[in-house]
């Protein structure tokens, strides 16, 4: 029996499973909807779908470098207990190798790619792990970076995966120094590489805030503009990597250290697990009991 798009849509709505998983289930069961539902349940995919509405804002950032390519990504789960699970760690390793080798353009493309050449997609692989681990898991985001033989990757994972950083230092092969820069980014959390990278809207918004602050302090209008420009310098020090005091040597600016190496920092990525996501209300006792039952 031919599998139609409407059949796939119906099965997806009934189970919450991925489109490709639904299509395969219908093909395997000759289009029988009930058998297809059972097929997904047997594969653990339907169980994964039932967890889709749960809050998963814990998890781990992970980096992997191979030659001149590196990846940083974030996988979310429901509790930080799972991040210490060997199966979860194996999942991170598999995803890292896949992302590095296949270089998908985005998460949606990554999820539909075959993982091991046996027809299993990344989405199916994650869903199978949901069924085994017992928590909602999701690949949230990733970035792939490239460099030349004359450059160095700065890759750093902080606190067992709570924060991950990936940057490329062009013009130096000093990997230890590049990692120090990544550690600085993890600790200080700059938003931009340099002043030039800050968009005009952000600068103007901050200028207006500083101007109003000065006026509220009763400063004469004739000196307010000069004060604002001085305070903008402090603002840039807070948000721009190159303007910051190096965390391991506060007497030195990052831009001076980088210049001394004859290097430049084109860009960086910093992932803090769960940032911007809804957090669930913690019930520690319930969390412990759930883990014991598993």
């Amino acid at each position: 029996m031919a599998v139609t798009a409407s059949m796939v849509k119906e099965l997806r709505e009934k189970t919450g499973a991925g489109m490709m998983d639904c299509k395969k289930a219908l093909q395997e069961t000759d289009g029988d909807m009930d058998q297809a539902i059972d097929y997904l349940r047997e594969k653990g995919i339907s169980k994964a779908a039932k967890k889709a509405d749960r809050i998963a804002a814990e998890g781990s950032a992970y980096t992997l470098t191979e030659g001149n390519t590196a990846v940083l990504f974030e996988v979310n789960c429901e509790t930080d207990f799972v991040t210490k699970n060997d199966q979860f760690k194996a999942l991170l390793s598999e995803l890292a190798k896949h992302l590095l080798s296949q270089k998908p353009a985005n998460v949606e493309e990554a999820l539909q790619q075959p993982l091991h050449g046996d027809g299993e997609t990344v989405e199916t692989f994650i869903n199978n792990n949901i069924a085994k681990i017992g928590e909602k898991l999701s690949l949230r985001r990733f970035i792939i970076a490239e460099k030349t033989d004359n450059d160095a990757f700065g890759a750093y994972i902080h606190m067992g995966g709570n924060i991950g950083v990936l940057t490329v230092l062009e013009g130096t092969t000093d990997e230890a120094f590049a990692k120090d820069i990544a550690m600085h980014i993890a600790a200080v959390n700059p938003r931009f590489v340099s002043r030039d990278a800050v968009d005009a809207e952000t600068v103007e918004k901050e200028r207006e805030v500083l101007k109003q602050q000065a006026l509220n302090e009763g400063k004469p209008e004739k000196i307010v503009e000069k004060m604002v420009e001085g305070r903008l310098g402090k603002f840039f020090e807070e948000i721009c990597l190159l303007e910051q005091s190096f965390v391991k040597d506060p007497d030195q600016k990052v831009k001076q250290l980088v210049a001394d190496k004859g290097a430049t920092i084109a860009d960086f990525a910093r992932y803090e697990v769960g940032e911007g996501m809804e957090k669930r209300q913690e019930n520690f006792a319930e969390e412990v009991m759930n883990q014991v039952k598993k």
Side-chain angles (χ1 to χ4, degrees):
M1 180 179 177
V3 175
T4 65
S6 61
M7 293 167 64
V8 174
K9 181 174 182 290
E10 181 183 350
L11 183 57
R12 182 179 174 86
E13 290 173 349
K14 286 184 176 181
T15 64
M19 188 182 304
M20 297 303 295
D21 291 320
C22 289
K23 183 179 180 180
K24 183 177 180 181
L26 287 164
Q27 290 172 336
E28 293 290 328
T29 58
D30 198 28
D32 187 296
M33 191 63 63
D34 290 334
Q35 288 185 29
I37 292 172
D38 288 340
Y39 175 92
L40 291 172
R41 289 182 62 197
E42 290 167 4
K43 294 291 184 180
I45 297 170
S46 181
K47 180 179 178 181
K50 291 178 182 178
K51 301 179 186 295
D53 60 349
R54 294 190 183 180
I55 296 172
E58 301 297 333
S60 183
Y62 193 90
T63 64
L64 181 65
T65 62
E66 190 173 276
N68 287 337
T69 307
V71 64
L72 166 68
F73 63 96
E74 176 184 346
V75 171
N76 297 120
C77 56
E78 295 175 51
T79 67
D80 60 3
F81 280 105
V82 166
T83 63
K84 302 170 180 63
N85 182 304
D86 287 341
Q87 190 167 334
F88 182 81
K89 293 176 182 178
L91 177 142
L92 293 177
S93 178
E94 286 291 319
L95 290 177
K97 288 183 284 188
H98 175 84
L99 294 171
L100 269 187
S101 64
Q102 300 304 310
K103 301 180 179 64
N106 50 50
V107 170
E108 291 72 23
E109 181 180 319
L111 292 175
Q112 300 309 319
Q113 289 178 328
L115 185 64
H116 297 120
D118 57 2
E120 180 186 46
T121 64
V122 171
E123 183 175 35
T124 303
F125 172 69
I126 293 174
N127 284 339
N128 288 340
N129 275 274
I130 292 174
K132 295 171 184 176
I133 292 174
E135 284 195 9
K136 178 181 176 180
L137 306 171
S138 62
L139 173 62
R140 182 187 184 193
R141 52 183 172 169
F142 68 86
I143 184 169
I144 296 170
E146 303 278 355
K147 72 174 185 68
T148 72
D149 291 338
N150 299 317
D151 309 326
F153 284 126
Y156 176 66
I157 295 295
H158 184 64
M159 292 178 64
N162 285 352
I163 298 172
V165 175
L166 178 62
T167 187
V168 179
L169 268 66
E170 299 175 345
T172 180
T173 57
D174 190 337
E175 294 183 355
F177 177 69
K179 183 176 181 180
D180 279 347
I181 296 297
M183 290 174 66
H184 172 95
I185 294 168
V188 184
N189 192 17
R191 292 164 53 192
F192 305 93
V193 173
S194 64
R195 293 189 182 208
D196 294 341
V198 185
D199 58 282
E201 183 180 350
T202 297
V203 175
E204 191 55 37
K205 182 178 179 181
E206 184 65 17
R207 181 177 277 114
E208 287 300 314
V209 170
L210 293 173
K211 181 178 180 180
Q212 194 57 52
Q213 284 178 354
L215 291 172
N216 290 344
E217 292 167 5
K219 306 297 183 184
E221 279 198 52
K222 60 182 180 180
I223 68 167
V224 164
E225 290 300 326
K226 187 175 291 187
M227 289 183 60
V228 167
E229 292 308 310
R231 291 180 179 182
L232 266 178
K234 296 295 292 182
F235 173 66
F236 285 127
E237 287 180 12
E238 291 175 3
I239 67 171
C240 298
L241 172 59
L242 295 178
E243 300 294 324
Q244 293 172 343
S245 297
F246 186 46
V247 71
K248 293 179 75 172
D249 183 3
D251 292 331
Q252 297 261 31
K253 294 286 188 181
V254 172
K255 61 183 175 184
Q256 185 57 56
L257 292 170
V258 172
D260 289 346
K261 290 286 183 179
T264 58
I265 302 173
D267 204 356
F268 66 85
R270 181 187 186 275
Y271 289 171
E272 186 165 344
V273 171
E275 59 187 344
M277 299 176 72
E278 177 188 4
K279 296 282 187 175
R280 71 185 187 130
Q281 295 298 314
E282 295 293 340
N283 184 327
F284 185 71
E286 179 183 349
E287 190 172 304
V288 171
M289 286 305 299
N290 286 337
Q291 292 299 317
V292 170
K293 290 176 182 177
K294 291 172 190 172

